[in-house]
Amino acid sequence: MINTFPPSVDVVLPCLDEAEALPWVLERIPPGWRAIVVDNGSTDGSPDIARALGAHVVHEPRRGFGAACHAGLTAATADVVCFCDCDASLDPGLLPAVAGPVLDGAADLVLGRRRPTTGGAWPLHARLANLELARLVRRRTGLRLHDLGPMRAARREALLALRLTDRRSGYPLQMVVRAADADWRVTETDVPYLPRAGRSKVTGTWRGTWQAVRDMRAVLAEPPADASALGASVLGGVR
């Protein structure tokens, strides 16, 4: 893929035992963009594979999706940061379409709305949980989102100003909720959702899914934050 954007984007890839998927994922990072693989306690050699393939590797000993994502965010130095799962369910080659509105100043946070390519790409229980969470997010924030997908893009300094505290499954949701509280322009764009490599640590089981739902319900129960406390002024394009 020809990169039409300046090389000012870091891609955070939380990783826990993704040796099978890493080569495909890393070869599809847009040219000139930096892959930050955050190892969250892998035992299958994932960090060595990522390093050998040219990724910047960060180690986060505290287990949790949010812990890995935030470690990647704090390690990033680019103006714009993307997040993407490291299990080959999402194609990093599509990130320019997700990051484009942020780079252009047309949006402050862009989420990739997952569109399953096969019936087995997204288990029924996970889709139902996601629909319910989207409904709760609309009620809490007014944002008419359809998905809380992990592929997303925003500006690094603005994300840090959100002061995200969740370090488990609620991290992506807390990002959206606090962005809404700060009056960010939040949009979606469709992205294909592929069958992941290996078994999901969350949506692969009913228990994992509903533990994630519990984490996210806790985020939704937080009182609305004052926009000024979230550093909304960091974004020149925020309304």
Side-chain angles (χ1 to χ4, degrees):
M1 177 180 291
I2 298 175
N3 182 26
T4 59
F5 299 112
S8 59
V9 179
D10 281 332
V11 182
V12 174
L13 299 158
C15 176
L16 175 59
D17 292 332
E18 302 291 4
E20 180 182 351
L22 270 169
W24 184 88
V25 170
L26 291 176
E27 74 178 7
R28 299 188 68 78
I29 297 294
W33 295 19
R34 183 174 66 150
I36 301 176
V37 173
V38 184
D39 179 59
N40 203 208
S42 298
T43 59
D44 66 349
S46 288
D48 292 335
I49 293 171
R51 196 175 290 109
L53 292 172
H56 176 65
V57 177
V58 174
H59 294 278
E60 174 49 64
R62 181 178 176 181
R63 284 291 182 93
F65 182 76
C69 287
H70 204 71
L73 175 60
T74 56
T77 57
D79 181 38
V80 171
V81 176
C82 294
F83 296 84
C84 184
D85 277 355
C86 203
D87 57 11
S89 64
L90 294 163
D91 182 356
L94 301 176
L95 282 170
V98 177
V102 176
L103 289 162
D104 294 342
D108 305 308
L109 174 63
V110 180
L111 309 178
R113 180 184 180 184
R114 291 170 288 183
R115 294 293 199 175
T117 58
T118 67
W122 203 353
L124 177 61
H125 59 273
R127 279 184 284 149
L128 292 174
N130 190 70
L131 286 172
E132 173 63 8
L133 284 168
R135 184 187 68 82
L136 293 174
V137 168
R138 285 195 295 271
R139 187 170 70 181
R140 163 65 174 79
T141 67
L143 295 174
R144 300 195 62 81
L145 300 175
H146 300 86
D147 187 17
L148 300 173
M151 181 179 273
R152 51 187 62 192
R155 296 195 179 273
R156 178 178 57 86
E157 290 187 9
L159 284 171
L160 291 170
L162 291 180
R163 301 176 186 176
L164 302 177
T165 57
D166 191 282
R167 295 295 180 265
R168 301 196 338 169
S169 298
Y171 186 89
L173 175 61
Q174 189 178 55
M175 184 186 296
V176 172
V177 169
R178 293 200 176 180
D181 288 347
D183 201 24
W184 286 23
R185 297 163 297 170
V186 181
T187 63
E188 295 181 315
T189 187
D190 289 354
V191 293
Y193 195 46
L194 311 169
R196 61 155 290 145
R199 188 180 184 186
S200 171
K201 288 80 175 175
V202 177
T203 59
T205 65
W206 280 94
R207 180 180 179 183
T209 297
W210 290 111
Q211 282 180 339
V213 170
R214 182 184 60 189
D215 291 344
M216 293 181 184
R217 283 187 179 274
V219 170
L220 289 169
E222 295 176 353
D226 180 6
S228 62
L230 299 179
S233 61
V234 172
L235 289 176
V238 170
R239 295 166 297 177

